[in-house]
Structure formats: C-alpha cells, structure tokens
C-alpha cells in the first residue's frame, strides 16, 4: 500500500464527504432543527439534479458555453428544489408539526410520486453535467501528481456552505429565531414572531441545499433514478452520527462516513456498506445524541 494510494483514497473520501455534507446539512436544518421528518429529502436532491440538467442541456444545445449553461443550471436546480420544499412545507407538513409518524408516511408517499413524475418527464437514462472550464481537468497535487479540479472544488464549496450556515444560525436574527423555535415554539409565537414563515424559510434553505448537492453530484458522476434513496439514507446516518441540529456534527459525520465508504470500497468492496452502519452503531452506543448533539432535547 503506497503513500500515493493512501492519499488518493483519502482524497476521494473527503470529496465524497463534501457532497454528503452539502446534502446532509439541508437535512440537518429540516430534521435536526425544525424536527420535521422529511423522508423526501433525497427526492429534493433529484429535483435539483434533473431540473438543473434540463436547463443546462437546453442552453448547451443552443450553442451556449458550458460555463454559462452550468451556472444557470446550478441556479435553476437550487431554485426548483427550494420551491418544491416550500410547497411540501406549506401544503403537507406545516400543519403536522409534532406528528412524526404522519410526516414520515406523507413524505415517503411524496418521494414515490416525485420519482414517478421525474421518470415520466425525463426518462430513466443516466445523465451528467459538463463542468465549467475553470473547474474542468486536473490540478497538480503533491505525491499523487494530478487530481480532479472539480472534486477539489467540492471540498471548497462544502467549507463555504458550512461557514455560511454557522454564521446564519449563530450570528443572525433569523438563526436565533430558528434555534429558539426548536426549544419553545409557543413562546416564540407569543413574542410576535411569525413561526410558520420561519419554518417555510428554513425548509426552503434546506431543500435548496439538497438541490445544490444534486447539481454538484451530477457533475462529479452520472446520476440516474434511484440515487435519491442512497442520499436520503446517507443524510440520515450523517445527521445521527454527528448529532441532530449541529452543523459541526454534520461535517464530522460526513467526513467519517465518506472516508470510511471510500476505504471500504478500496479494501473490501463487497462488505464496504457495513462500515457505514458500524460507525453509526458505535457512535450511538457511546453517545446516543450523536458526537456533537445536545443532551436533553
């Protein structure tokens, strides 16, 4: 096992962890902070990927540059997922607050409907974005030589998302209201705050992050129907391992799961999926609230 092999596999794990964090951070906002059980989070990922690619493909086919088409597709994917999240919150989930089983059943049904509609409108063939020129090709990396520029961009984007969410939740009035609503929604409403509007805004942000992950993930590797389940389960595991409602915990959980998954595929691919659940079981055995989760919530 050479040093080049070790660094390459670890970098693959970190870039995968970056994608997991972007998607799971949205799930952490919705599930960990709002206490809304959204089992259609993977479907929001798919909406972002499919809508973003539809816009990208139409622009690229009309002789637009790949850079312009990719950025517009990225915005379209994030916006489509955010709008879908708002509809889900307003129409289906807003009046079910505190009814976790009902929320889970409704969002499972929504995920099936969304998957069928995506199949009907876009077909079942896999697709992939072309990365813009600035992010296309290899970047020199010590020891291993060259590594995908776009995969390194994923790490930078995940860092930006993490810092942005931390600042939003800890340094802004909106973040204070979101965290206050977790502990005592009635008191927050009594103070004159429009709690349903805060919930819609938070859900839109979480859904938009899932859409962002969809476009980024579909640029890094081909996407087809069915990956929504994978990203839903991964987001669940990442949030449970890191601790509900903790952005730092979500980052740590994503790194643990992403790196373990890549090393498992490199060393024993047949049983690599066991590592993910082994980490979750080990963490829950020691800290049932997750690595950075709060006690007594």
């Amino acid at each position: 096992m050479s040093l080049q092999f070790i660094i390459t596999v670890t970098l693959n794990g970190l870039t995968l962890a970056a994608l997991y964090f972007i998607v799971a951070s949205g799930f952490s906002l919705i599930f960990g902070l709002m206490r809304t059980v959204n089992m259609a989070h993977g479907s929001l990922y798919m909406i972002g990927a499919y809508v973003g690619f539809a816009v990208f493909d139409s622009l690229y086919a009309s002789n637009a540059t790949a850079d312009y088409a990719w950025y517009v597709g990225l915005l379209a994917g994030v916006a489509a997922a955010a709008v879908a999240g708002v509809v889900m919150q307003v129409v289906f989930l807003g009046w079910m607050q505190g009814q976790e089983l009902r929320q889970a059943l409704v969002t499972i049904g929504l995920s099936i409907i969304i998957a069928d509609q995506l199949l009907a409108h876009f077909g079942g063939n896999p697709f992939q974005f072309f990365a813009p020129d600035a992010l296309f090709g290899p970047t020199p990396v010590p020891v291993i030589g060259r590594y995908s520029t776009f995969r390194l961009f994923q790490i930078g984007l995940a860092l930006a998302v993490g810092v942005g969410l931390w600042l939003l939740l800890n340094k802004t009035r909106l973040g204070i209201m979101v965290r206050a609503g977790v502990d005592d929604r009635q008191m927050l409403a009594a103070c004159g705050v429009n709690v349903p509007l805060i919930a819609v805004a938070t859900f839109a942000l979480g859904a938009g992050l899932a859409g962002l992950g969809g476009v980024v993930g579909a640029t890094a590797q081909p996407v087809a129907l069915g990956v929504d389940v994978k990203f839903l389960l991964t987001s669940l595991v990442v949030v449970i391992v890191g601790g509900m409602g903790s952005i730092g915990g979500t980052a740590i959980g994503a790194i643990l799961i992403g790196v373990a998954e890549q090393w498992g595929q490199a060393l024993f691919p047949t049983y690599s999926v066991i590592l993910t659940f082994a980490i979750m079981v080990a963490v829950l055995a020691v800290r049932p609230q997750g690595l950075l989760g709060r006690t007594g919530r």
Side-chain angles (χ1 to χ4, degrees):
M1 188 181 297
S2 65
L3 179 60
Q4 181 180 10
F5 175 81
I6 294 174
I7 295 177
T8 300
V9 174
T10 303
L11 263 179
N12 289 342
L14 290 175
T15 55
L16 181 62
L19 178 59
Y20 285 166
F21 171 75
I22 293 171
V23 181
S25 60
F27 189 78
S28 180
L29 286 175
I30 296 171
F31 179 49
L33 282 176
M34 291 178 58
R35 294 296 187 269
T36 299
V37 182
N38 178 27
M39 303 303 287
H41 193 71
S43 298
L44 296 172
Y45 174 95
M46 294 295 294
I47 288 174
Y50 271 85
V51 172
F53 182 77
V55 173
F56 166 86
D57 193 47
S58 63
L59 291 174
Y60 194 73
S62 62
N63 297 322
T65 63
D67 286 12
Y68 171 75
W70 188 83
Y71 291 119
V72 175
L74 177 69
L75 293 176
V78 172
V83 170
V86 169
V87 172
M88 290 171 60
Q89 170 65 16
V90 172
V91 178
F92 298 101
L93 300 175
W95 53 275
M96 299 181 189
Q97 192 63 38
Q99 304 178 49
E100 289 83 3
L101 180 58
R102 178 174 288 183
Q103 289 175 344
L105 293 175
V106 167
T107 50
I108 288 173
L110 286 174
S111 67
I112 296 172
I113 294 171
I114 291 171
D116 287 343
Q117 291 302 309
L118 291 175
L119 177 62
H121 285 84
F122 298 105
N125 294 326
F127 63 88
Q128 186 172 9
F129 289 81
F130 297 114
D133 291 341
L135 304 176
F136 187 78
T139 294
V141 175
V143 181
I144 65 175
R146 299 187 298 175
Y147 195 77
S148 168
T149 301
F150 189 80
R151 285 180 173 266
L152 295 175
F153 165 75
Q154 287 179 219
I155 298 177
L157 181 61
L159 289 172
V161 168
V163 172
L165 286 177
W166 185 87
L167 291 174
L168 175 68
L169 294 175
N170 294 279
K171 302 297 181 179
T172 67
R173 189 167 182 268
L174 174 62
I176 293 172
M177 289 188 293
V178 169
R179 289 184 288 113
V182 174
D183 295 326
D184 197 333
R185 294 173 64 91
Q186 290 76 22
M187 181 60 70
L188 187 63
C191 292
V193 175
N194 190 337
V195 176
L197 181 60
I198 296 297
V200 169
T202 306
F203 208 103
L205 176 59
L209 287 171
L212 174 63
V215 176
V216 172
T219 307
Q221 55 191 0
V223 169
L225 288 173
V227 300
D228 52 336
V229 177
K230 169 183 169 58
F231 278 93
L232 171 63
L233 292 177
T234 302
S235 297
L236 271 169
V237 172
V238 166
V239 171
I240 290 172
V241 169
M244 291 204 308
S246 170
I247 299 301
T250 302
I252 295 174
I255 292 172
L256 287 174
I257 299 304
V259 173
E261 185 175 317
Q262 286 299 302
W263 272 104
Q265 291 180 359
L267 299 178
F268 38 89
T270 305
Y271 305 102
S272 62
V273 68
I274 298 176
L275 275 179
T276 299
F277 295 100
I279 291 173
M280 183 177 69
V281 170
V283 169
L284 291 179
V286 178
R287 286 184 62 84
Q289 71 273 23
L291 293 174
L292 297 184
R294 280 167 45 185
T295 57
R297 300 184 69 171

